[in-house]
């Protein structure tokens, strides 16, 4: 058994918060209450008393001064496995996730080969089961991510796919999009969309504006996102499909989602920590370390994303964790790949920018990083309740840390060296401690 005591618990699903202990038996929560040690049998209490001498199998985590919350759920990560494991693999990605407080991740399918077959999906899921956290995976929407032919969505769903996405490559054929949404609606599974029209983009990864002018390149205009979001929201409303507008970056797209949500309940949108924290000025300052698709845009866009998070228009926070090697990122701005890592910095950025900034409560942040993404993907996660999963994090929200090293295999982040509030002190997944903050 595992006893977490003396912490301040927040369950974003029920709204319950306060000073509670949590008793875990196996992989589930046995009891939530106050002074739970006193409710144990004499034998169990004795085991707790001697745990510090490490002769007992009952572990006690003292959460005094800490926030106790559900394990976080990230529905947009790239672990590059199979095929690109020099950047990241499932084991190193899971270690980074655990450090960041994530007990469940949903992998994107743009690996090599892409996850468009039961064989590749099986490889990913089986390796994920060895990590200590819950590793789910999407399958692609189209064969080979070519945008021309739908995968066998029925077979991949039966094989364990959590959802479907061609993330990384927008699907340009509206007929394919409609057919995918119709099939996903029948399967009651989400489809996630990368919304950028490549026909409108000269050089992706950098906003068409001050950043593109600085580098003397064409850049990516906001219209490339707006047009795709508008199209896919309309199809989603017509089909009733559950969709996720991924890594939203423009104020116009936020407003389109806001209006669509008034007409349909299956519309979801996600914001990344980098899009609610940074603007295109970071691309000028940090170069390729702040190059991503869609790009960082203007301050008005950043503020619109924060307002969307605050009013529920944007109901998910997802990292788009995208590892690349230092050699790849050292290339010219037009040649370096887009994307940054984000699993280890996501919660500290949310605490620093959103909670400490006065925009969102801690409970709201947790809901967007655990309960809501779990609900969209129909996962048993993102809440704290008796009988529920023992996926729990202990966070010192007042402590600060400066990121200089990462558990991810890659280190491509514009947040390196920045002091952030919020330190994950322990991550529990399936009733087992899978990460402890190192003692100094």
């Amino acid at each position: 058994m595992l006893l977490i005591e003396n912490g301040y618990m927040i369950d974003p699903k029920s709204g319950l918060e306060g000073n509670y202990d949590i008793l875990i038996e196996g992989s589930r929560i046995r009891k939530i209450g106050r002074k739970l040690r006193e409710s144990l049998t004499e034998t169990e209490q004795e085991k707790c008393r001697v745990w510090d001498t490490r002769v007992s199998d009952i572990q006690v985590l003292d959460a005094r001064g800490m926030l106790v919350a559900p394990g976080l759920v990230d529905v947009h990560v790239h672990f590059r496995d199979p095929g690109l494991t020099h950047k990241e693999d499932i084991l190193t990605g899971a270690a980074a996730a655990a450090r960041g407080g994530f007990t469940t991740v949903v992998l994107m399918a743009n690996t090599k080969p892409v996850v468009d077959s039961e064989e590749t999906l099986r490889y990913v899921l089986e390796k994920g089961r060895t990590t200590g956290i819950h590793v789910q995976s999407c399958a692609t929407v189209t064969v080979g991510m070519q945008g021309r032919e739908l995968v066998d969505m029925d077979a991949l769903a039966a094989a364990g796919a959590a959802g479907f996405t061609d993330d990384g490559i927008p699907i340009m054929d509206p007929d394919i999009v409609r057919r995918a949404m119709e099939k996903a609606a029948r399967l009651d599974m989400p489809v996630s969309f990368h919304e950028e029209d490549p026909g409108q983009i000269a050089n992706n990864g950098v906003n068409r504006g001050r950043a593109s002018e600085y580098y003397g390149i064409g850049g990516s205009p906001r219209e490339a996102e707006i047009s795709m979001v508008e199209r896919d929201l309309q199809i989603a409303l017509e089909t009733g499909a559950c969709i996720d507008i991924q890594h939203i970056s423009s104020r116009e797209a936020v407003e389109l989602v806001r209006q669509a949500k008034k007409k349909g309940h299956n519309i979801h949108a996600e914001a990344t920590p980098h899009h609610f924290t940074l603007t295109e000025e970071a691309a000028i300052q940090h170069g390729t370390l702040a190059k991503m698709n869609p790009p960082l845009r203007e301050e008005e866009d950043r503020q619109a994303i924060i307002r969307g998070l605050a009013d529920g228009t944007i109901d998910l926070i997802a990292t788009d964790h995208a590892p690349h090697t230092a050699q790849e990122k050292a290339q010219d701005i037009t040649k370096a790949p887009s994307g940054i890592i984000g699993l280890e910095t996501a919660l500290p950025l949310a605490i620093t920018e959103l909670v400490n900034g006065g925009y969102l409560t801690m409970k709201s942040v947790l809901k967007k990083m655990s309960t809501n993404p779990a609900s969209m993907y129909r996962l048993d996660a993102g809440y704290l309740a008796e009988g529920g999963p023992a996926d729990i994090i202990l966070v010192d929200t007042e402590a600060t840390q400066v990121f200089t090293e990462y558990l991810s295999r890659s280190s491509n982040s514009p947040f390196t060296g920045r002091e952030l509030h919020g330190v994950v002190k322990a991550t529990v997944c399936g009733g087992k401690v899978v990460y402890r903050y190192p003692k100094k």
Side-chain angles (χ1 to χ4, degrees):
M1 285 192 295
L2 174 63
L3 177 62
I4 301 172
E5 57 184 4
N6 304 320
Y8 187 86
M9 189 191 87
I10 296 180
D11 174 40
K13 184 174 183 179
S14 68
L16 178 67
E17 65 176 291
N19 296 107
Y20 292 95
D21 298 343
I22 300 176
L23 182 63
I24 296 167
E25 188 167 20
S27 63
R28 313 299 288 187
I29 295 174
R30 180 168 125 181
K31 190 172 181 60
I32 296 175
R34 293 185 169 92
K35 298 181 179 179
L36 288 187
R37 192 184 289 229
E38 296 177 4
S39 70
L40 300 177
T41 66
E42 290 185 8
T43 300
E44 290 171 339
Q45 288 190 44
E46 179 61 29
K47 287 183 177 181
C48 287
R49 283 197 294 272
V50 300
W51 179 78
D52 286 338
T53 63
R54 301 187 182 278
V55 296
S56 169
D57 58 358
I58 295 182
Q59 185 174 358
V60 179
L61 293 180
D62 187 355
R64 195 180 313 273
M66 298 182 204
L67 168 69
V68 179
L72 306 181
V73 179
D74 190 347
V75 295
H76 190 162
V77 302
H78 302 267
F79 280 0
R80 311 301 192 195
D81 191 353
L84 300 166
T85 54
H86 59 288
K87 303 171 188 265
E88 189 84 281
D89 63 31
I90 290 171
L91 299 179
T92 60
R99 181 192 182 191
F102 292 93
T103 53
T104 301
V105 294
V106 179
L107 307 187
M108 298 296 96
N110 60 337
T111 47
K112 191 175 182 180
V114 301
V115 186
D116 62 357
S117 69
E118 295 172 63
E119 179 183 9
T120 306
L121 177 62
R122 190 177 304 113
Y123 162 82
V124 171
L125 295 180
E126 288 179 356
K127 191 169 182 179
R129 282 191 281 271
T130 70
T131 64
I133 69 167
H134 308 298
V135 177
Q136 305 286 338
S137 180
C138 284
T140 62
V141 175
T142 66
V143 175
M145 291 180 64
Q146 296 298 306
R148 293 190 292 266
E149 177 187 356
L150 285 182
V151 297
D152 188 338
M153 295 174 74
D154 291 286
L156 287 162
F164 299 92
T165 183
D166 274 10
D167 176 57
I169 301 179
I171 303 174
M172 298 309 299
D173 187 339
D175 181 60
I176 288 287
V177 171
R178 182 176 296 275
R179 288 167 52 205
M181 287 197 199
E182 290 171 344
K183 172 61 76 171
R186 288 194 290 272
L187 291 169
D188 190 29
M189 295 176 68
V191 189
S192 300
F193 289 95
H194 183 129
E195 305 287 36
E196 290 186 293
D197 180 354
Q200 300 186 49
I201 300 171
N203 304 99
N204 211 351
V206 174
N207 183 53
R208 182 171 295 176
R210 274 184 47 80
S212 64
E213 290 172 3
Y214 175 83
Y215 288 108
I217 60 178
S220 174
R222 60 202 315 105
E223 291 78 15
E225 176 178 77
I226 297 165
S227 60
M228 297 285 285
V229 170
E230 188 171 28
R231 181 199 71 178
D232 291 343
L233 288 174
Q234 184 58 41
I235 298 174
L237 291 172
E238 292 169 0
T239 60
C242 174
I243 73 161
D244 173 24
I245 303 298
Q246 295 179 296
H247 41 44
I248 200 163
S249 72
S250 65
R251 55 189 180 272
E252 294 89 350
V254 174
E255 184 58 29
L256 285 169
V257 171
R258 181 177 285 113
Q259 297 307 316
K261 280 197 164 191
K262 296 177 181 178
K263 303 174 184 177
H265 70 282
N266 260 341
I267 305 297
H268 303 275
E270 65 184 46
T272 69
H274 43 276
H275 282 111
F276 66 64
T277 301
L278 303 175
T279 68
E280 63 180 336
E281 298 299 325
I284 296 173
Q285 179 183 357
H286 297 287
T288 61
L289 288 179
K291 178 185 179 183
M292 66 271 301
N293 303 338
L296 301 169
R297 300 201 187 274
E298 301 171 6
E299 176 63 14
E300 289 185 20
D301 298 297
R302 189 182 77 87
Q303 290 295 332
I305 289 169
I306 291 174
R307 287 193 298 272
L309 286 164
D311 69 15
T313 297
I314 303 172
D315 50 334
L316 313 171
I317 293 174
T319 67
D320 191 14
H321 177 80
H324 295 294
T325 67
Q327 291 77 13
E328 290 170 314
K329 280 292 191 177
Q331 297 178 91
D332 180 81
I333 192 73
T334 60
K335 296 179 180 178
S338 292
I340 67 172
I341 60 171
L343 284 164
E344 295 167 73
T345 55
L347 183 58
L349 283 168
I351 292 171
T352 302
E353 296 290 333
L354 301 178
V355 179
N356 294 352
Y359 299 109
L360 274 72
T361 64
M362 193 70 232
K363 186 185 295 184
S364 180
V365 163
L366 292 172
K367 191 170 187 179
K368 294 175 190 299
M369 297 185 75
S370 60
T371 308
N372 288 353
S375 176
M376 187 183 76
Y377 270 87
R378 285 68 166 157
L379 302 173
D380 185 26
Y383 67 99
L384 298 175
E386 293 180 1
D391 300 339
I392 303 168
I393 55 173
L394 279 60
V395 185
D396 187 337
T397 59
E398 299 298 323
T400 62
Q401 59 183 320
V402 177
F403 285 89
T404 57
E405 297 180 346
Y406 300 92
L407 294 186
S408 170
R409 180 161 288 160
S410 296
S411 58
N412 51 307
S413 171
F415 300 111
T416 301
R418 178 171 173 178
E419 184 177 52
L420 299 172
H421 280 82
V423 177
V424 176
K425 292 293 188 176
T427 301
V428 177
C429 187
K432 297 179 180 179
V433 178
V434 294
Y435 172 79
R436 290 292 299 269
Y437 186 75
K439 294 182 179 180
K440 295 182 180 180

